[in-house]
Amino acid sequence: MSDSPRGNRGLAARLVLMAAGSFAFGFALVPLYDVFCEVTGVGNRAALSEAREATDLVPDAARTVTVEFTATVPAGGWLLEPEAPTLEVHPGQLYEARFRARSLSGRETTGQAVPSISPVRAAQYFVKTECFCFTPQKFAANEERELAVRFVVDKGLPTNIDRLTLSYAFYDVDRAGKS
Amino acid sequence: MAAAAHHDDHAHHGPPKGIVRWLTTTNHKDIGTLYLVFSLLMFFVGGGLAFMIRAELFQPGLQLLNPVVFNEMTTMHALIMIFGAVMPATVGLANWMIPMQIGAADMALPRMNLFSFWLLVAGSLLLLSTFLMPGGAPAGGWTMYPPLVLQTGESFPFAIFAIHLMGASSIMGAINVIVTIVNMRAPGMTLLKMPLFTWSWLITAYLLIAVMPVFAGAVTMLLTDRFFDTSFFTASGGGDPVLFQHLFWFFGHPEVYIMILPAFGIVSEVIPTFSRKPIFGYEAMVYAIASIAFLSFIVWAHHMFVVGMPLAGQMFFMLATMLIAVPTGVKIFNWTATMWRGSLTFEPPMLFALAFLFLFTIGGFSGLMLAIVPADFQYHDTYFVVAHFHYVLVPGSVFALMAAVYYWLPKWTGHMYDMRLAKAHFWLSAVFVNVLFFPQHFLGLAGMPRRIPDYAAQFADWNMVSSIGAFGFGLSQLLFVWVIVKCVRGGERATAGVWDWPHGLEWTVPSPAPYHTFEKAPEIH
């Protein structure tokens, strides 16, 4: 129980260090969150943003799943919409869906689509073999074109899910991070 | 309270006279007084904003405020009440009472103490100044979720910097408390002899050091997302807005215990005094505080069940949250058992402590309801949540703070206060606080969302009742100020013990407490 100023300073310094450690921990949580999501599969980010091999391409004709497509452009700059709002698919069969994209700005732009699947539990069973969302898309001024995604719904999809939604949010890469 | 200290100018080296004393003081009692007066001031500023919120909600339709200004009111009300009123009030009590409870001459780091108080003032003024900026004060809610908060006007960086200042201030306050308690206890004052108020603050201080910097980091990320092109929380750059919610509530849940643990400590001092019995299960009380503090780190995601998480996560956070009811139940039980067969009297501090016991428990129960995942989906972002957290914060923390003021005020000023007025203040507050918040349970269950300036006609009646309660509660607090002012200016002389059954070192020094106490360590038996 020393009340010497030196003892106080030493303990105070250690506590300041602890506070600095907490501050660093807050930032460390950012990569840790990614790791956590990857390990536990929360959000299925890896599954969503990378191409995956489709294995076992034998369609299960007895089962039909409805896939809904939607697209939003939160900050504007493009029109993006699916050619067909829904598609009836058999698990295990390869399909292609097309989206129509039109740049609305009179200049060259680059967009990036960020996909998500709902319900979240279905994400790991939605296998994209090719997708315009894997790479940034360059557009000339006012260019209009089609964007394609090829996918298989894995046969492991839980049987109580008969409808899932593939949604894209489309962002301007050059303005990313700006609100 | 300010004038009180004039009585002890005869101390062998008294404070400088006039305003200079208050600007330069490093005395723990003076700084405690500054903190308490400042927090009372902020309590009225935050209360004024609440007054405007309830005035707008008095009837459906938009009458007084436009929606953006309304949102500024709710956001700033929360920030000011949390960071400007409740937290500084507990720090003020810590400054005044901890050295006196453990037999220390002062806080361990008096100059840092001075610095942290003035940082708080600077931070609060900066926060208030955002009302005058183009685009107005922050209006995205005190939780500051992106991307909404990134739309704040010019005031955005100022609000963040204000939070940095107030956070730094409370971290310094916490460091001071820990160093004081660890290093400055009088010989013989072992850890398990410490009064429970000191114990509760020791644990609170560790919570502050652990989570306040995480919050500082999270708001710094908001700042860089907006101004320096980072993408911590912006989806277009590969970030995730949900990450902010995790960071925020990793801080936010311990934060609510930072506001309630010192209240637990206060109630644990008051109830034994007016039951004339030592606290029942002292060690269990200490371990209960420690377990609540530990659990507070692993329950944060119950604030965000609706963002979507795996079933296992929902189950974990639901059950961990419910687990908190166990140590909290131990505390409620022990307070009740302390009163069992005690010789009870009902002075104002005891009245506030009893109201705390009863009304905080109501808030605890609605918290349990919110912990149930499927029920939470229904209650999320409704007035039920508003009712819940106001029950634990107002008749919880704030009533405990008032109990503390009425408990120690004679020790601070040397005068007894007007018991009749204080009891009137209690009954007015206790009735109106329920008129104010109880109907909000009904509104929430009926589906009224929180943070809206207008509502469907079906909610009109209970909103009017709630607003009447708010006006009554707010005006009753003027009586509180009057009791304090009257007590500072004079009154019946208080004895050293003040109460019938004083227990603890602070009651061994004269009232008012001399400017310097325990320069020679007391003997502890």
Side-chain angles (χ1 to χ4, degrees):
Chain A
M1 263 155 262
S2 72
D3 55 355
S4 70
R6 181 174 303 174
N8 289 349
R9 231 171 281 159
L11 179 56
R14 264 176 290 158
L15 292 169
V16 169
L17 214 63
M18 191 178 149
S22 307
F23 188 71
F25 176 69
F27 282 86
L29 282 174
V30 178
L32 281 176
Y33 178 68
D34 287 342
V35 172
F36 175 82
C37 290
E38 215 158 291
V39 171
T40 60
V42 175
N44 289 287
R45 298 205 206 176
L48 285 169
S49 54
E50 284 163 25
R52 287 194 293 169
E53 278 302 305
T55 51
D56 184 20
L57 279 176
V58 184
D60 176 0
R63 190 172 167 201
T64 309
V65 177
T66 308
V67 181
E68 302 174 333
F69 304 100
T70 108
T72 52
V73 188
W78 284 271
L79 274 183
L80 182 66
E81 53 186 20
E83 280 191 347
T86 60
L87 192 62
E88 307 281 317
V89 305
H90 297 303
Q93 188 169 335
L94 194 63
Y95 293 89
E96 183 175 281
R98 290 175 173 279
F99 285 70
R100 232 192 326 272
R102 184 152 65 88
S103 173
L104 300 176
S105 62
R107 60 191 169 84
E108 264 187 36
T109 45
T110 310
Q112 169 74 53
V114 178
S116 75
I117 301 281
S118 178
V120 175
R121 274 181 310 145
Q124 57 178 304
Y125 304 103
F126 192 83
V127 180
K128 295 193 287 297
T129 58
E130 277 178 54
C131 180
F132 61 92
C133 60
F134 296 151
T135 50
Q137 302 290 320
K138 274 197 187 317
F139 283 82
N142 300 318
E143 182 186 343
E144 179 168 2
R145 71 163 191 269
E146 280 189 338
L147 302 170
V149 51
R150 290 165 72 82
F151 64 90
V152 182
V153 174
D154 193 283
K155 277 184 281 191
L157 183 75
T159 48
N160 60 347
I161 299 178
D162 59 1
R163 178 178 283 267
L164 47 87
T165 306
L166 170 62
S167 157
Y168 288 106
F170 206 67
Y171 296 102
D172 188 332
V173 171
D174 306 317
R175 292 180 55 213
K178 308 256 174 69
S179 54
Chain B
M1 274 163 274
H6 290 308
H7 297 288
D8 45 60
D9 279 357
H10 55 78
H12 52 100
H13 51 106
K17 300 261 190 270
I19 186 85
V20 181
R21 165 181 174 184
W22 297 105
L23 292 177
T24 60
T25 183
T26 57
N27 179 286
H28 75 98
K29 299 186 182 81
D30 281 356
I31 292 180
T33 303
L34 285 171
Y35 263 111
L36 287 169
V37 171
F38 183 77
S39 63
L40 187 61
L41 203 67
M42 285 294 124
F43 180 60
F44 278 94
V45 173
L49 300 178
F51 210 97
M52 286 193 262
I53 292 169
R54 284 316 320 174
E56 174 59 54
L57 294 175
F58 188 73
Q59 58 187 58
L62 292 176
Q63 286 91 26
L64 304 169
L65 309 171
N66 76 45
V68 174
V69 174
F70 182 89
N71 289 343
E72 290 174 18
M73 296 290 142
T74 54
T75 305
M76 293 291 281
H77 163 72
L79 290 172
I80 288 169
M81 284 302 199
I82 293 166
F83 295 105
V86 175
M87 287 171 70
T90 63
V91 178
L93 291 172
N95 265 296
W96 248 106
M97 301 320 299
I98 287 177
M100 283 167 64
Q101 287 196 324
I102 61 172
D106 202 315
M107 295 293 278
L109 310 158
R111 271 172 294 184
M112 193 165 87
N113 210 1
L114 172 75
F115 185 43
S116 73
F117 172 73
W118 290 106
L119 264 190
L120 169 73
V121 175
S124 304
L125 292 180
L126 187 60
L127 185 64
L128 285 175
S129 73
T130 58
F131 274 120
L132 307 173
M133 294 178 185
W142 84 280
T143 52
M144 293 182 280
Y145 284 0
L148 181 62
V149 73
L150 299 174
Q151 297 174 9
T152 307
E154 306 283 309
S155 67
F156 182 70
F158 295 93
I160 301 249
F161 190 53
I163 286 165
H164 280 148
L165 289 181
M166 291 158 123
S169 160
S170 53
I171 290 167
M172 281 192 277
I175 290 175
N176 216 339
V177 165
I178 295 176
V179 178
T180 305
I181 295 176
V182 172
N183 281 354
M184 310 269 287
R185 276 172 288 135
M189 175 62 77
T190 55
L191 280 177
L192 283 175
K193 274 189 188 162
M194 291 195 315
L196 283 170
F197 175 69
T198 299
W199 250 118
S200 68
W201 240 109
L202 179 62
I203 292 169
T204 304
Y206 274 109
L207 282 183
L208 271 166
I209 293 179
V211 300
M212 215 29 139
V214 174
F215 183 46
V219 295
T220 306
M221 290 177 211
L222 284 177
L223 202 64
T224 58
D225 266 12
R226 163 113 170 223
F227 294 106
F228 302 107
D229 287 356
T230 58
S231 299
F232 289 106
F233 311 125
T234 27
S236 56
D240 187 346
V242 175
L243 172 61
F244 179 84
Q245 300 190 18
H246 283 290
L247 290 177
F248 181 86
W249 288 113
F250 182 79
F251 146 81
H253 200 79
E255 168 68 20
V256 303
Y257 293 121
I258 286 166
M259 292 189 280
I260 202 66
L261 292 184
F264 286 174
I266 293 162
V267 171
S268 304
E269 301 284 333
V270 171
I271 287 183
T273 300
F274 298 98
S275 306
R276 292 160 182 80
K277 270 177 69 191
I279 188 91
F280 179 86
Y282 169 88
E283 287 186 27
M285 291 303 248
V286 173
Y287 296 134
I289 302 176
S291 352
I292 293 172
F294 168 73
L295 288 173
S296 75
F297 285 105
I298 56 165
V299 297
W300 76 90
H302 66 210
H303 294 270
M304 36 190 291
F305 282 140
V306 297
V307 301
M309 68 182 79
L311 189 64
Q314 293 177 356
M315 295 289 283
F316 172 79
F317 285 110
M318 174 169 87
L319 295 173
T321 304
M322 291 180 164
L323 208 54
I324 297 175
V326 177
T328 313
V330 167
K331 299 197 76 70
I332 306 274
F333 179 87
N334 285 3
W335 287 322
T336 314
T338 303
M339 289 187 282
W340 175 251
R341 297 199 165 169
S343 167
L344 271 67
T345 49
F346 300 96
E347 284 87 342
M350 183 62 160
L351 289 174
F352 274 101
L354 289 176
F356 168 93
L357 195 57
F358 183 60
L359 298 174
F360 173 80
T361 307
I362 293 181
F365 278 134
S366 57
L368 273 177
M369 291 168 72
L370 287 163
I372 303 167
V373 175
D376 181 76
F377 284 6
Q378 180 76 19
Y379 304 152
H380 188 86
D381 265 350
T382 68
Y383 256 82
F384 191 78
V385 177
V386 177
H388 157 68
F389 68 71
H390 279 99
Y391 257 88
V392 290
L393 273 173
V394 185
S397 299
V398 173
F399 269 28
L401 290 167
M402 287 171 176
V405 170
Y406 282 132
Y407 186 53
W408 284 310
L409 194 58
K411 177 56 62 187
W412 300 335
T413 64
H415 304 132
M416 295 308 286
Y417 46 85
D418 188 328
M419 289 286 164
R420 269 194 23 209
L421 277 184
K423 283 184 185 174
H425 168 232
F426 167 75
W427 285 109
L428 287 170
S429 300
V431 170
F432 279 123
V433 86
N434 285 296
V435 177
L436 163 55
F437 293 119
F438 210 83
Q440 297 183 359
H441 290 115
F442 310 147
L443 288 170
L445 292 178
M448 177 169 160
R450 63 191 283 208
R451 292 174 171 155
I452 51 160
D454 186 9
Y455 48 82
Q458 81 213 53
F459 303 126
D461 294 347
W462 286 122
N463 266 301
M464 189 175 282
V465 171
S466 177
S467 288
I468 291 169
F471 304 148
F473 183 76
L475 293 174
S476 308
Q477 303 321 309
L478 297 175
L479 199 54
F480 182 46
V481 178
W482 175 235
V483 174
I484 294 172
V485 169
K486 217 176 137 189
C487 177
V488 169
R489 288 167 61 178
E492 190 192 326
R493 279 249 155 247
T495 59
V498 181
W499 308 110
D500 270 359
W501 198 80
H503 197 69
L505 284 178
E506 73 259 42
W507 307 112
T508 62
V509 301
S511 302
Y515 201 57
H516 298 283
T517 40
F518 299 125
E519 288 183 300
K520 246 176 73 187
E523 292 211 9
I524 316 284
H525 307 291

